[in-house]
Amino acid sequence: LGWDKTKSWTLWAVVAYFILNSGLTYWIWAVEKGKVFVGEKNGGQLTLSSFVTKHTPIYNLTVRYLNPSARNSNTTSEQWQTVELSAPFTKWFSADGYFVAKPFQQWLASEIPVVGQADPANVVKGAGEVKTVELEDIKGVLDGLKTVPSVKESGSPATRSRKSKR
């Protein structure tokens, strides 16, 4: 057909693409606002929204949920609860960059009560506890590293001189 015959169609296709893509971008940013999941089970409702800050390997999750017990209570207003969670991506990705689902499922079930009730097999006790590291622990690790022989001291094959075979 050639460019001259199709350039008017191409112009309208580009305009249509621009309008549709602008509408989609507006929908994602203004309407959904980072929502990645909305669900309901046995009277409990759950909404998950996530975001990541640039150049920071931390996954931030905002959880808004309604417990089935709160919904069945005699109060006139439903008791929505909001939880802000964050964790490093290294908890769920292997060293090769593959997603490992089990630790992610355990994190969700341990940190979100509604998910823990629906999936009790993945609840890990003490998953959200912050552990402190004492100075003595760090010194012990460093002292342990000092006692490991270096490559030159160990006489590994890489440091030995090679004899040529004749």
Side-chain angles (χ1 to χ4, degrees), residues 92-112:
W92 317 298
F93 285 89
S94 68
D96 298 328
Y98 292 103
F99 179 70
V100 184
K102 187 70 173 176
F104 187 70
Q105 292 167 342
Q106 290 173 337
W107 180 67
L108 290 176
S110 300
E111 298 292 331
I112 306 168

Side-chain angles (χ1 to χ4, degrees), residues 36-114:
V36 292
F37 178 80
V38 176
E40 183 173 345
K41 181 177 181 181
N42 298 332
Q45 295 178 354
L46 177 69
T47 302
L48 302 176
S49 302
S50 69
F51 69 94
V52 177
T53 307
K54 277 188 177 182
H55 310 295
T56 305
I58 304 293
Y59 183 65
N60 299 296
L61 189 66
T62 302
V63 181
R64 189 168 180 256
Y65 66 94
L66 176 65
N67 248 334
S69 59
R71 186 174 218 186
N72 296 333
S73 65
N74 293 333
T75 59
T76 56
S77 66
E78 296 179 340
Q79 300 284 331
W80 283 94
Q81 295 178 343
T82 303
V83 178
E84 302 280 334
L85 303 172
S86 63
F89 283 108
T90 55
K91 288 179 93 170
W92 317 298
F93 285 89
S94 68
D96 298 328
Y98 292 103
F99 179 70
V100 184
K102 187 70 173 176
F104 187 70
Q105 292 167 342
Q106 290 173 337
W107 180 67
L108 290 176
S110 300
E111 298 292 331
I112 306 168
V114 176

